[in-house]
């Protein structure tokens, strides 16, 4: 090779034509780094993924001095805050019967507490995604966590005439959580790579079901112990203050892409519209995001309404009287919370192990695991719903199996996003996925089930038995959405290997022009053509 080359490249289904210049060494091996990456002395534009300022053999990138021990401490802190986020999110569901009695609100009004939270979370996620790809991520998370702490503690002092204020504070809580959930996984992605990243992501996401389950347990337990549901909302802010201090002191802000490039190739940000175009052309990202949306619809509906549903089922069977004053019987929230914790831990563990064992042998193993989890959970959820009027123990068993199968996906889904998207666009990808999955998923599913339940309940509003049936019939929507989610993941499996390879090549700066002789250490991606 001599001089510069220019060519238009097309990556099938992923990238549009991009102009690129390559300048090779004057003799074999000249200017090569120890890693085998060739010297890039000209302008290299990989759809905005690699810094295209002039680079020489002596080009170096300043690395943050972070020891491996600090990496693990940072992940532990991020996991702790993630636990608190989800614990707070489902504390409301754990004391929902108390809240309905206290404010005298129906199912559709009660569902607003979850809907406004998810809507603010969803709408602000793209904002934090944009900021997270460009500015100090630790500072953004600290500000968001502070908003969450203040809003949650404020909501614990609301009195009967002001239900609308409780709704407003839940929206503010969503604002705080949007900053954290969008950015935290990208920091883990920059601290670890390969199998270690998979393990760390698994630890991070295992606290979604664990935190959710603890929300039911702690919320209902404290409400019962104090006789006032307001106290249930005061635990997580106190623990959150500890998390904020740990976040500021112990979590680093590593360079974006540090784990993949080892600091040898500086990555730069691009225009937001370019980022969005890149993601919309990434078919694995699009189809997996739709799969996550279906999963969010199901888990959001189950998480919010299951304790109320089980309580009404027992009233119908004559096992306990309806709740007429605080504190309501917390047993359903406690049992469901314990099941959620156990099923979540087991499901994430199984999913991570399957991914680790199959990924090297089956290139599309991850989306197939997600598809199996969604499709097989559908009959379990259906049986849990239709057997509730007859056998509460059978319902608990099928809920446990269904939640375990759904939990196979948590860490696997996060890992898919990290390896099919280049580092400088991961926060944007997290944000867009959050926006879509909440917009079409759990932002609407609790409210939709509440509206359907209220509409059916009008036919016999005085009957406790019919109040159970109306919620049961609305719940039957969930198994069908699970099937739809499984189909989306099967479509993801068609493109995952190709999109992963393309992301790796873009990040490493190893794209070659068709017909060019490979330089040592460069392997052209099979999906790139002239």
């Amino acid at each position: 090779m001599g001089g510069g080359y220019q060519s238009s490249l097309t990556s099938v289904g992923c990238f549009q034509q991009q102009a690129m210049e390559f300048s090779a060494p004057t003799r074999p091996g000249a200017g090569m780094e120890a890693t085998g990456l060739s010297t890039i002395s000209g302008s290299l534009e990989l759809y905005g993924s690699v810094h295209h300022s002039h680079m020489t053999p002596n080009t170096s990138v300043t690395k943050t001095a972070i020891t491996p021990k600090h990496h693990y401490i940072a992940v532990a802190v991020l996991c702790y805050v993630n636990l608190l986020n989800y614990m707070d999110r489902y504390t409301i569901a754990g004391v929902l019967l108390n809240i309905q009695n206290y404010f005298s609100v129906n199912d559709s009004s009660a569902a607003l507490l979850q809907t406004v939270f998810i809507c603010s979370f969803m709408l602000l996620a793209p904002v934090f995604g944009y900021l997270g790809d460009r500015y100090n991520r630790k500072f953004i998370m600290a500000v968001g966590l502070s908003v969450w702490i203040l809003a949650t503690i404020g909501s614990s002092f609301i009195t009967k005439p002001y239900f609308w204020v409780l709704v407003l504070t839940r929206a503010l809580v969503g604002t705080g959580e949007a900053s954290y959930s969008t950015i935290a996984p990208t920091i883990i992605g920059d601290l670890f790579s390969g199998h270690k990243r998979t393990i760390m992501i698994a630890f991070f996401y295992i606290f979604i079901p664990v935190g959710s389950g603890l929300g039911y347990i702690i919320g209902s337990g404290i409400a019962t112990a104090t006789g006032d549901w307001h106290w249930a909302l005061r635990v997580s802010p106190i623990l959150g203050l500890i998390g904020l201090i740990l976040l500021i002191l112990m979590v680093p802000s590593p360079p974006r892409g540090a784990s993949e490039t080892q600091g040898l190739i500086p990555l730069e940000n691009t225009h937001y519209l370019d980022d969005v175009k890149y993601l919309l052309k990434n078919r694995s990202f699009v189809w997996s995001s739709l799969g996550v949306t279906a999963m969010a619809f199901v888990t959001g509906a189950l998480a919010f309404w299951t304790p109320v549903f089980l309580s009404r089922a027992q009233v119908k069977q004559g096992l306990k009287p309806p709740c007429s004053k605080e504190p309501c019987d917390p047993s359903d929230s406690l049992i469901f919370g314990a099941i959620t914790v156990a099923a979540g831990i087991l499901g994430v563990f199984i999913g991570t192990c399957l991914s680790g064992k199959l990924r090297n042998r089956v290139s599309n193993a991850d989306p197939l695991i997600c598809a199996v989890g969604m499709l097989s959970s559908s009959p379990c959820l259906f049986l849990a719903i239709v057997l509730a009027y007859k056998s509460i123990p059978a319902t608990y068993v099928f809920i446990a199996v269904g939640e375990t199968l759904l939990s196979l996906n948590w860490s696997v889904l996060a890992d898919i996003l990290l390896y099919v998207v280049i580092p400088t666009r991961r926060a944007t990808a997290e944000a867009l996925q959050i926006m879509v999955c909440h917009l079409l998923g759990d932002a609407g599913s609790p409210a939709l089930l509440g509206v359907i339940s209220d509409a059916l309940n009008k036919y016999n509003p005085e009957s406790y038995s019919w109040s159970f049936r109306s919620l049961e019939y609305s719940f039957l929507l969930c198994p069908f959405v699970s099937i739809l989610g499984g189909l989306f993941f099967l479509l993801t499996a068609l493109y995952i290997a190709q999109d992963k390879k393309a992301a790796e090549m873009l990040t490493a700066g190893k794209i070659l022009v068709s017909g060019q002789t490979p330089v040592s250490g460069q392997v052209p991606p099979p999906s790139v053509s002239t």
Side-chain angles (χ1 to χ4, degrees):
M1 299 184 297
Y5 290 84
Q6 287 189 336
S7 175
S8 297
L9 301 183
T10 302
S11 176
V12 179
C14 298
F15 309 105
Q16 290 180 317
Q17 293 184 337
Q18 301 295 316
M20 293 196 285
E21 283 185 311
F22 292 79
S23 180
T26 57
R27 59 183 176 81
M32 299 296 291
E33 298 288 347
T35 58
L37 289 177
S38 62
T39 302
I40 305 175
S41 58
S43 172
L44 177 60
E45 294 189 62
L46 301 177
Y47 201 33
S49 63
V50 179
H51 197 289
H52 55 266
S53 59
H54 292 290
M55 297 174 63
T56 68
N58 297 321
T59 297
S60 64
V61 180
T62 302
K63 296 184 187 180
T64 304
I66 311 171
T67 66
K69 180 181 178 181
H70 290 157
H71 291 185
Y72 294 109
I73 293 174
V75 171
V77 173
L78 294 174
C79 288
Y80 172 72
V81 179
N82 200 38
L83 170 74
L84 297 181
N85 273 337
Y86 280 87
M87 191 174 82
D88 173 76
R89 186 180 300 190
Y90 291 104
T91 297
I92 287 287
V95 295
L96 188 59
L97 280 174
N98 294 285
I99 290 174
Q100 284 187 286
N101 285 330
Y102 183 82
F103 290 105
S104 299
V105 294
N106 58 19
D107 288 351
S108 54
S109 296
L112 282 175
L113 295 172
Q114 188 73 351
T115 298
V116 297
F117 166 83
I118 295 297
C119 284
S120 65
F121 184 91
M122 165 193 72
L123 293 174
L124 286 168
V127 176
F128 289 113
Y130 176 87
L131 297 174
D133 276 337
R134 290 159 177 82
Y135 302 103
N136 188 295
R137 289 176 286 183
K138 185 165 76 170
F139 176 77
I140 296 169
M141 288 193 298
V143 172
L145 189 55
S146 300
V147 173
W148 166 70
I149 291 170
L150 292 173
T152 303
I153 196 68
S155 66
S156 69
F157 294 98
I158 296 170
T159 54
K160 284 185 179 181
Y162 301 104
F163 178 73
W164 64 272
V165 178
L166 180 61
V167 173
L168 177 61
T169 57
R170 294 308 293 174
L172 291 175
V173 170
T175 301
E177 288 196 24
S179 65
Y180 184 81
S181 298
T182 302
I183 295 172
T186 70
I187 290 182
I188 297 176
D190 288 333
L191 293 175
F192 297 92
S193 62
H195 186 61
K196 282 188 177 180
R197 176 195 286 168
T198 301
I199 299 299
M200 293 302 107
I201 286 293
F203 274 114
F204 182 79
Y205 278 91
I206 204 170
F207 287 100
I208 291 179
V210 171
S212 302
L214 288 177
Y216 296 106
I217 295 170
I218 294 176
S220 57
I222 290 177
T224 301
T226 61
D228 184 358
W229 64 269
H230 291 85
W231 282 99
L233 301 181
R234 294 168 186 164
V235 176
S236 56
I238 297 172
L239 299 176
L241 184 60
I242 299 173
L244 177 61
I245 295 171
L246 292 174
L247 178 69
I248 294 171
L249 297 178
M250 308 300 292
V251 177
S253 186
R256 292 166 181 84
S259 61
E260 286 97 345
T261 67
Q262 305 300 316
L264 295 175
I265 300 178
L267 304 180
E268 69 170 8
N269 300 112
T270 50
H271 293 295
Y272 186 73
L273 289 179
D274 290 333
D275 295 350
V276 174
K277 289 177 183 178
Y278 161 81
L279 293 170
L280 292 178
K281 291 176 182 295
N282 188 322
R283 290 171 292 184
S284 297
F285 172 76
V286 170
W287 288 118
S288 64
S289 295
L290 291 175
V292 176
T293 299
M295 182 178 171
F297 184 99
V298 174
T299 56
L302 290 173
F304 195 77
W305 285 116
T306 297
V308 175
F309 175 68
L310 293 172
S311 178
R312 291 182 185 179
Q314 292 180 72
V315 171
K316 183 184 183 303
Q317 294 180 39
L319 299 177
K320 68 179 185 181
C323 178
S324 57
K325 64 178 182 178
E326 290 188 66
C328 297
D329 184 357
S331 59
D332 298 305
S333 292
L334 292 171
I335 296 173
F336 180 66
I339 289 174
T340 300
V341 171
I345 294 173
L346 181 61
V348 172
F349 176 78
I350 293 173
T352 303
C353 290
L354 287 175
S355 175
K357 289 181 178 297
L358 298 177
R359 186 182 295 172
N360 291 333
R361 289 182 286 175
V362 183
S363 60
N364 58 356
D366 286 347
L368 290 178
I369 292 170
C370 295
V372 169
M374 290 292 290
L375 292 172
S376 56
S377 69
S378 179
C380 296
L381 297 177
F382 179 81
L383 290 172
I385 294 166
V386 299
L387 291 176
Y389 82 99
K390 188 174 183 180
S391 174
I392 296 298
T395 297
Y396 279 132
V397 169
F398 284 111
I399 286 175
V401 176
E403 284 199 314
T404 301
L405 292 168
L406 287 172
S407 295
L408 294 178
N409 302 356
W410 284 119
S411 65
V412 179
L413 286 170
D415 214 15
I416 287 175
L417 184 146
L418 290 174
Y419 65 63
V420 300
V421 176
I422 60 176
T424 54
R425 288 166 173 158
R426 283 175 183 162
T428 298
E430 290 277 359
L432 290 180
Q433 191 172 88
I434 286 172
M435 184 182 73
V436 171
C437 80
H438 291 314
L439 176 64
L440 303 177
D442 54 354
S445 60
L448 179 60
L449 265 62
V451 169
I452 294 174
S453 176
D454 283 345
L456 294 174
N457 195 47
K458 290 179 180 178
Y459 292 103
N460 194 356
E462 303 301 323
S463 170
Y464 280 105
S465 176
W466 185 244
S467 69
F468 159 74
R469 286 297 186 187
S470 62
L471 189 55
E472 177 190 37
Y473 295 150
S474 66
F475 249 134
L476 290 174
L477 189 60
C478 292
F480 296 101
V481 176
S482 288
I483 294 174
L484 185 62
L487 296 178
F488 287 140
F489 286 124
L490 290 177
L491 288 170
T492 306
L494 298 177
Y495 308 106
I496 191 79
Q498 179 180 343
D499 291 338
K500 179 181 178 182
K501 187 67 175 178
E504 290 173 350
M505 290 303 196
L506 282 170
T507 301
K510 295 183 180 181
I511 301 295
L512 290 181
V513 179
S514 179
Q516 193 175 1
T517 303
V519 179
S520 175
Q522 290 184 319
V523 181
S527 61
V528 176
S529 60
T530 309

